[in-house]
Amino acid sequence: ARYDPAHRRAAEASGLHGFLGVPLRSDVRVTGVLYAYTRDRRRFSADEISLVSSFADQASVSLEKSRLAAERRLAEEALRQSEKLATMGQLLAGVAHELNNPLTVMVGYAAVLRARLPKVLSAGEAGVVGGMIQQVENAAQHCVRIVRNFLALAREHPPERRRVPINQVVTEAVDLLAYPFGVDDVQLSLD
């Protein structure tokens, strides 16, 4: 009586008349059905039902083992990835701190040199050397921003919602991607 009418018609059209369906279970939920058919118009015996039920139990155990093994592999891979990210964050923070001190010295000395230039050099020479010092200072400031971004990435912050200055976010993202863009000969302009 519980046999699906469409399934019954398809089975009968194939010459199958006797039917037995045994659930495949994972813990307490049904994950599938093991079907047995016969061309004879008869009922399955208790021994046949017991045999098909045993097969269904074994298939259920095998399917559950496979599912658990796949879940374990996924969990292990997620753990490995998480450990890699944690290690990269620690490495990134260490490198950023190591770079921060020399960059601070560079920015400071560039400012001192620019202030002393007019006293030491002629106006024409001071302009040329001042331009070079400005390039050094700009490069150092660029590195300082990258280091600041690295440190922000390495630190764990709880997620929060707040207003952000979108231009600053885009500029910081571009700073992080400047090297790969340069290597790939990508020119980027912000407007």
Side-chain angles (χ1 to χ4, degrees):
R2 295 184 342 205
Y3 195 22
D4 178 55
H7 196 162
R8 179 190 300 267
R9 284 191 299 277
E12 287 174 350
S14 301
L16 303 172
H17 299 287
F19 161 77
L20 175 62
V22 180
L24 301 174
R25 297 184 184 277
S26 169
D27 294 327
V28 291
R29 69 172 213 248
V30 175
T31 59
V33 179
L34 177 63
Y35 293 110
Y37 296 93
T38 180
R39 294 189 182 279
D40 301 331
R41 291 184 184 274
R42 67 173 178 87
R43 294 190 178 274
F44 284 87
S45 70
D47 287 342
E48 290 170 326
I49 293 171
S50 177
L51 181 63
V52 173
S53 293
S54 294
F55 283 136
D57 290 343
Q58 290 301 315
S60 295
V61 168
S62 294
L63 290 171
E64 184 65 9
K65 279 183 172 180
S66 290
R67 185 187 67 76
L68 291 172
E71 280 182 10
R72 189 185 77 240
R73 280 191 302 275
L74 288 174
E76 287 172 351
E77 181 57 34
L79 179 61
R80 274 193 294 278
Q81 189 64 24
S82 176
E83 288 172 346
K84 280 183 195 176
L85 289 174
T87 302
M88 287 299 294
Q90 291 171 348
L91 178 66
L92 200 56
V95 169
H97 281 296
E98 289 297 319
L99 288 174
N100 219 14
N101 292 334
L103 288 171
T104 302
V105 170
M106 289 174 66
V107 170
Y109 279 154
V112 169
L113 287 172
R114 193 174 43 259
R116 291 188 177 182
L117 275 181
K119 299 173 188 166
V120 179
L121 301 175
S122 67
E125 291 174 317
V128 172
V129 175
M132 291 177 190
I133 291 172
Q134 186 62 48
Q135 285 180 334
V136 168
E137 186 176 15
N138 290 346
Q141 289 290 356
H142 178 76
C143 291
V144 165
R145 285 192 305 275
I146 292 171
V147 166
R148 192 177 315 125
N149 289 337
F150 281 170
L151 287 171
L153 283 173
R155 292 186 185 115
E156 289 187 30
H157 297 287
E160 64 179 83
R161 288 179 170 232
R162 62 182 169 89
R163 292 184 179 271
V164 294
I166 192 69
N167 288 344
Q168 178 185 345
V169 171
V170 170
T171 302
E172 289 172 359
V174 168
D175 285 347
L176 286 174
L177 296 171
Y179 179 75
F181 282 170
V183 168
D184 293 337
D185 201 26
V186 172
Q187 293 180 350
L188 181 70
S189 65
L190 299 177
D191 181 8

